[in-house]
């Protein structure tokens, strides 16, 4: 059986072409949405914006990361604070471990691979049980358009248990790749918070290889920056692995926040659950969520579900949400997806206000309710309060009036 | 003693979404609701009954072009929607709004806190809410569900009555709370309104198309609403006459 589903849910969207390339069916084994990658930049043509993987991204705002016209010399720092049993290294491009998990599969990812000077490698020994998270603080210290490139490898040994929290702050024009290997039976929680200054541009690719019976939980939180585009992909190194990919984003006026998920069920009895929630407010706030799941012929007995929910708080926002399922075997436990875009409109505001709740509190109530469960499920107590405060902070910035949605009768 | 006074109220509805000028709906409404009184407003569809309710509550779609509304002498029309609620007004809506993601229990607690100016006492709060729900035969499991989301029409109306009981305003306006209810649900809802009325110092403005609910909630005054104003006023006997004769007489006179 070969089925591809596509749906497109867009708010205040202008007409967009259908995902023509995504709806054909085929018997080939590889995903036609995600062709094999390449380390060679020349194998990745400069995008023109009409490609399926670039059509939602405003190329003009990439500061030349996509076509080689960027300027080098951006400044920034990376601080890593890890428990004693963890090895943290700074290695050269020739380190043989680099590129063993992930091969760049788009132009900017290949550019980052070609341009980084030194990589960071974080290794958690087998069977280690870390008592506190590994903290990675990335601070952009640039002021202009100069770019930085980075590469990170996180290697978690078999049956180890670890949490990594990456925080991005400051100003940067940054592109990079993160390779994550979760060893057999290991358990890794990987959180990445994008809380950049308003003018930052950040394109990243995270790729995780989930070992046999391993458990991988990832949470991407994108709040700040002019343009943030994160591609996150998962494949399995053996049967029985599970991946939970959670996301939270809050797009303000003029912000472009894009998350592209790809789960490659290339092993039997594997599980994946993708759940992203986003809020949008202000003129020109734009979010993009692409959720691709490929169930290969070999992947019998797998279970997958992906969900994206958007909450539009004001007029002038656009939420694009495209779930895709490519199914090459019917012998599975389950596969499904959901995508919704809800509005906090003036009727809801009136209802809450008519019960004595003022407008700010009403908005807060709705946004809290919307995000509370996803923040709880991220499950890292160290950052739970921080995330709630961050959401609060976004609400403080709130501009614009709730949506008009017709009046009362 | 609370008193809601409506004087010469003129209201237009915003039609700018259709590119039209505002359309006058209310053409001079005079009504005084004193504590302890229940007033029924009856009228045909399109007579402006609901516009009166939403105008008092402050819905932004409606523009007051003339007249005054005061609650215990305070100018209601200068207040925001939430200020009106905190001043003691409550509108039970014909079409309660769904608010996904906000649980009923969180909603009720936030509203109660806003109305009272302080959080309710934890010790008694859950019991109070559960009691209010049980009284209208609403499963307390609704506490954890999103406000009105997926509720049936009857469940939404019961939830409105739960709010009436928990928030306990000075004056309650019930906008066609009876519409779409079967007889059992109607009795349950009427019971909630009657418990509210039994308290001292509470006013009720009951807006309805049908006389049915007036068998369970006895009004002190009945007003016939036609063409955006009150066409006739009387006691409960007026409702009986409307049931027998319908609105045709008034509609014909107004047109």
């Amino acid at each position: 059986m070969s089925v591809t589903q596509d749906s497109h849910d867009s708010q205040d969207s202008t007409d967009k072409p259908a995902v023509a390339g995504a709806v054909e069916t085929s018997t080939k084994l590889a995903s036609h949405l995600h062709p094999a990658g390449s380390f060679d930049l020349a194998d990745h043509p400069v995008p023109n914006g009409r490609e399926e993987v670039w059509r939602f991204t405003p190329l003009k705002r990439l500061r030349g990361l996509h076509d080689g016209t960027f300027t080098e010399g951006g400044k920034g720092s990376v601080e890593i604070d890890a428990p004693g049993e963890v090895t943290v290294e700074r290695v050269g491009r020739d380190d043989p471990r680099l590129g063993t998990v992930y091969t760049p599969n788009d132009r900017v990812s290949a550019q980052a691979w070609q341009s980084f000077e030194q990589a960071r490698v974080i290794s958690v020994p087998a069977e280690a049980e870390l008592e506190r998270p590994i903290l990675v603080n990335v601070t952009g210290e640039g002021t202009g358009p100069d770019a930085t490139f980075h590469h990170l490898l996180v290697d978690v040994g078999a049956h180890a248990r670890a949490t990594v929290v990456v925080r991005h702050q400051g100003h940067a024009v940054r592109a990079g790749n993160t390779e994550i290997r979760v060893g057999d039976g290991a358990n890794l929680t990987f959180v990445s918070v994008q809380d950049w200054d308003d003018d930052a541009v950040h394109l990243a690719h995270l790729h995780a290889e989930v070992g046999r019976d391993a458990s991988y939980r990832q949470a991407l939180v994108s709040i700040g920056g002019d343009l943030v585009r994160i591609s996150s992909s998962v494949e399995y190194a053996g049967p029985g692995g599970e991946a939970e990919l959670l996301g939270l984003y809050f797009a303000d006026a003029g912000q472009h926040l894009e998350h592209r998920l790809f789960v490659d069920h290339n092993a039997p009895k594997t599980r994946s659950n993708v759940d992203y929630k986003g809020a949008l407010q202000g003129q020109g706030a734009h979010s993009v969520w692409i959720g691709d799941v490929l169930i290969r012929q070999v992947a019998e007995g797998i279970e997958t579900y992906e969900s994206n929910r958007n909450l539009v708080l004001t007029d002038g926002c656009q939420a694009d949400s495209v779930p895709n399922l490519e199914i090459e075997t019917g012998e599975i436990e389950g596969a499904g997806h959901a995508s919704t875009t809800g509005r906090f409109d003036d009727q809801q505001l009136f209802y809450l206000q008519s019960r004595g709740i003022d407008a700010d509190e009403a908005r807060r109530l709705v946004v809290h309710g919307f995000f509370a469960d996803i923040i709880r499920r991220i499950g890292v107590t160290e950052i739970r309060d921080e995330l709630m405060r961050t959401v609060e902070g976004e609400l403080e910035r709130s501009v614009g009036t709730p949506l008009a949605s017709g009046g009362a009768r | 003693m609370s008193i809601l006074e409506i004087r010469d109220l003129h209201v237009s509805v915003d039609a700018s979404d259709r590119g039209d000028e505002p359309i006058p709906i209310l053409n001079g409404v005079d009504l005084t609701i004193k504590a302890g009184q229940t007033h029924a407003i009856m009228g045909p569809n399109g007579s402006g009954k609901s516009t009166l309710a939403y105008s008092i509550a402050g819905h932004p779609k409606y523009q007051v072009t003339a007249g005054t509304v005061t609650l215990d002498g305070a100018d209601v029309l200068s207040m925001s929607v939430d200020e009106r609620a905190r001043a003691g007004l409550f509108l039970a809506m014909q079409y309660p709004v769904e608010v996904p993601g906000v649980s009923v229990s969180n909603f009720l607690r936030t509203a109660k806190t806003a109305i009272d100016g302080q959080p309710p006492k934890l010790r008694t709060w859950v019991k109070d809410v559960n009691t209010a729900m049980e009284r209208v035969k609403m499963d307390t499991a609704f506490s954890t569900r999103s406000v009105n989301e997926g509720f049936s029409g009857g469940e939404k109306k019961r939830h409105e009555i739960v709010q009436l009981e928990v928030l306990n305003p000075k004056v309650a306006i019930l906008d066609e709370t009876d519409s779409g209810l079967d007889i059992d649900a109607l009795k349950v809802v009427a019971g909630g309104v009657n418990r509210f009325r039994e308290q001292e110092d509470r006013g009720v403005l009951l807006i309805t198309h049908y006389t049915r609910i007036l068998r369970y909630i006895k009004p002190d005054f009945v007003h016939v609403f036609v063409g955006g104003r009150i066409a006739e006023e009387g006691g409960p006997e007026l409702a009986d006459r409307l049931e027998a004769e319908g609105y045709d007489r008034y509609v014909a006179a107004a047109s």
Side-chain angles (χ1 to χ4, degrees):
Chain A
M1 189 173 78
S2 178
V3 179
T4 300
Q5 295 181 26
D6 179 78
S7 71
H8 182 211
D9 188 354
S10 184
Q11 192 75 45
D12 299 332
S13 169
T14 51
D15 285 342
K16 287 222 159 55
V19 194
V23 293
E24 68 187 28
T25 58
S26 92
T27 54
K28 64 189 171 187
L29 288 176
S31 165
H32 55 263
L33 291 171
H34 295 267
S38 166
F39 291 100
D40 187 351
L41 184 61
D43 288 341
H44 301 271
V46 172
N48 58 30
R50 292 189 294 277
E51 298 83 358
E52 179 54 34
V53 299
W54 289 106
R55 68 186 177 102
F56 292 107
T57 312
L59 300 180
K60 274 184 294 194
R61 286 156 65 182
L62 296 187
R63 313 286 184 121
L65 290 171
H66 65 298
D67 61 4
T69 62
F70 61 87
T71 53
E72 292 191 63
K75 291 183 172 56
S77 68
V78 178
E79 287 171 18
I80 301 176
D81 172 25
E85 59 265 58
V86 177
T87 308
V88 178
E89 300 164 81
R90 192 194 290 258
V91 303
R93 297 183 50 85
D94 55 351
D95 190 288
R97 292 170 292 178
L98 304 183
T100 56
V101 176
Y102 168 69
T103 307
N105 70 358
D106 72 32
R107 170 80 189 190
V108 175
S109 181
Q111 182 72 62
W113 171 264
Q114 178 175 293
S115 302
F116 79 88
E117 288 170 5
Q118 286 185 308
R120 304 287 183 134
V121 178
I122 298 173
S123 307
V124 180
E127 297 185 29
E129 299 251 346
L130 302 191
E131 288 186 355
R132 62 181 177 92
I134 301 165
L135 302 177
V136 181
N137 286 315
V138 178
T139 306
E141 293 160 352
T143 51
D146 296 343
T148 57
F149 299 94
H150 70 97
H151 195 93
L152 171 67
L153 169 64
V154 177
D155 196 343
V156 179
H159 301 293
R161 175 180 288 269
T163 296
V164 177
V165 178
V166 184
R167 288 188 184 85
H168 297 93
Q169 288 175 314
H171 169 78
V173 174
R174 183 178 176 89
N177 298 303
T178 298
E179 302 182 80
I180 299 161
R181 179 180 285 115
V182 188
D184 292 349
N187 182 312
L188 173 66
T189 296
F190 185 96
V191 180
S192 181
V193 180
Q194 290 66 241
D195 194 12
W196 296 106
D197 290 351
D198 288 344
D199 53 354
V201 174
H202 183 204
L203 283 82
H205 202 125
L206 286 71
H207 183 80
E209 181 189 275
V210 179
R212 182 186 183 104
D213 298 324
S215 177
Y216 176 56
R217 180 189 292 157
Q218 173 185 279
L220 301 182
V221 180
S222 297
I223 303 290
D226 174 61
L227 187 151
V228 174
R229 172 183 152 124
I230 302 184
S231 305
S232 170
S233 46
V234 169
E235 65 180 307
Y236 299 85
E242 61 179 46
E244 182 162 39
L245 308 179
L246 305 174
L248 184 166
Y249 49 87
F250 204 135
D252 290 324
Q255 261 189 321
H256 177 95
L257 302 179
E258 179 167 352
H259 297 89
R260 312 182 65 89
L261 288 302
F262 176 47
V263 180
D264 186 348
H265 279 281
N266 59 340
K269 298 278 184 190
T270 49
R271 285 206 300 270
S272 66
N273 182 40
V274 178
D275 195 353
Y276 270 65
K277 284 192 164 188
L280 297 92
Q281 63 181 6
Q283 192 65 36
H286 187 197
S287 70
V288 178
W289 179 86
I290 311 293
D292 293 345
V293 173
L294 169 62
I295 304 169
R296 293 183 191 264
Q297 226 147 29
V298 65
E300 295 190 353
I302 69 101
E303 191 169 0
T304 177
Y305 196 81
E306 46 176 356
S307 163
N308 175 227
R309 301 189 192 284
N310 292 295
L311 177 63
V312 176
L313 295 169
T314 70
D315 280 321
C317 307
Q318 180 172 328
D320 288 300
S321 180
V322 186
N324 291 303
L325 261 176
E326 290 181 272
I327 305 177
E328 292 172 352
T329 175
E331 302 297 313
I332 59 172
E333 290 287 316
H337 60 220
S339 168
T340 61
T341 298
R343 297 146 60 93
F344 178 55
D345 61 31
D346 61 358
Q347 292 294 59
Q348 292 169 339
L349 176 63
F350 174 73
Y351 189 73
L352 295 172
Q353 279 190 289
S354 77
R355 284 8 178 188
I357 302 166
D358 70 40
D360 287 346
E361 182 71 18
R363 196 187 302 264
R364 198 172 295 131
L365 194 62
V366 168
V367 173
H368 262 267
F370 182 69
F371 281 131
D373 79 308
I374 203 111
I375 289 177
R376 183 175 47 75
R377 283 166 55 204
I378 290 171
V380 181
T381 50
E382 284 85 350
I383 64 164
R384 187 180 301 165
D385 293 345
E386 179 184 325
L387 290 181
M388 262 304 173
R389 278 199 304 276
T390 304
V391 168
E392 289 280 346
E394 287 297 297
L395 284 167
E396 300 290 317
R397 301 162 58 125
S398 177
V399 288
T401 51
L403 292 155
S405 70
R409 297 212 230 168
Chain B
M1 293 291 275
S2 290
I3 180 164
L4 179 69
E5 291 186 282
I6 301 162
R7 289 285 163 269
D8 192 32
L9 188 66
H10 288 70
V11 171
S12 295
V13 64
D14 179 22
S16 58
D17 53 342
R18 287 179 301 189
D20 292 340
E21 294 293 304
I23 302 161
I25 304 284
L26 300 187
N27 302 301
V29 177
D30 288 283
L31 188 61
T32 301
I33 298 163
K34 292 180 180 161
Q37 296 177 345
T38 296
H39 293 248
I41 288 194
M42 306 192 60
N45 290 329
S47 59
K49 305 186 300 287
S50 286
T51 297
L52 177 64
Y54 279 91
S55 301
I56 296 169
H59 195 286
K61 188 182 171 184
Y62 300 102
Q63 300 155 3
V64 175
T65 52
T68 60
V69 178
T70 59
L71 178 63
D72 301 333
D75 179 8
V76 168
L77 297 180
S78 68
M79 299 179 194
S80 65
V81 176
D82 48 297
E83 285 169 343
R84 295 177 197 208
R86 294 198 294 273
L89 292 174
F90 178 85
L91 170 62
M93 297 188 198
Q94 186 180 358
Y95 302 104
V97 180
E98 300 188 359
V99 190
V102 178
S103 70
V104 167
S105 79
N106 195 13
F107 164 65
L108 291 175
R109 193 173 55 245
T110 305
K112 183 68 173 166
T113 303
I115 299 278
D116 290 0
Q118 60 183 34
K121 289 204 167 46
L122 271 176
R123 208 153 31 85
T124 55
W125 171 245
V126 174
K127 188 165 154 285
D128 290 348
V129 170
N130 286 346
T131 302
M133 295 180 96
E134 282 158 8
R135 278 180 176 165
V136 296
K137 298 186 167 46
M138 200 171 170
D139 193 325
T140 52
F142 276 91
S143 292
T144 60
R145 289 178 54 178
S146 290
V147 171
N148 294 325
E149 191 179 39
F151 289 22
S152 70
E155 287 161 354
K156 285 180 180 172
K157 297 296 174 68
R158 290 168 203 239
H159 182 216
E160 295 292 280
I161 299 303
V162 168
Q163 295 170 51
L164 172 68
E165 177 146 354
V166 166
L167 301 180
N168 201 10
K170 291 176 181 168
V171 177
I173 303 164
L174 305 161
D175 182 25
E176 306 212 14
T177 299
D178 52 330
S179 66
L181 294 183
D182 63 32
I183 191 69
D184 292 333
L186 185 68
K187 285 180 183 171
V188 163
V189 163
V193 176
N194 285 329
R195 277 193 300 279
F196 173 74
R197 294 204 300 165
E198 281 161 15
Q199 305 175 93
E200 299 286 305
D201 200 21
R202 296 293 187 276
V204 173
L205 178 58
L206 184 68
I207 293 173
T208 182
H209 183 78
Y210 305 102
T211 51
R212 192 175 58 142
I213 194 172
L214 302 184
R215 285 178 222 146
Y216 305 99
I217 304 173
K218 286 286 170 216
D220 302 299
F221 304 92
V222 173
H223 312 266
V224 182
F225 212 73
V226 180
R229 58 163 64 91
I230 291 167
E232 187 169 359
E233 299 177 282
E237 75 287 349
L238 183 51
D240 299 333
R241 214 173 81 207
L242 285 169
E243 176 151 28
E245 299 173 10
Y247 298 114
D248 290 351
R249 191 160 56 90
Y250 300 101
V251 176
S255 60

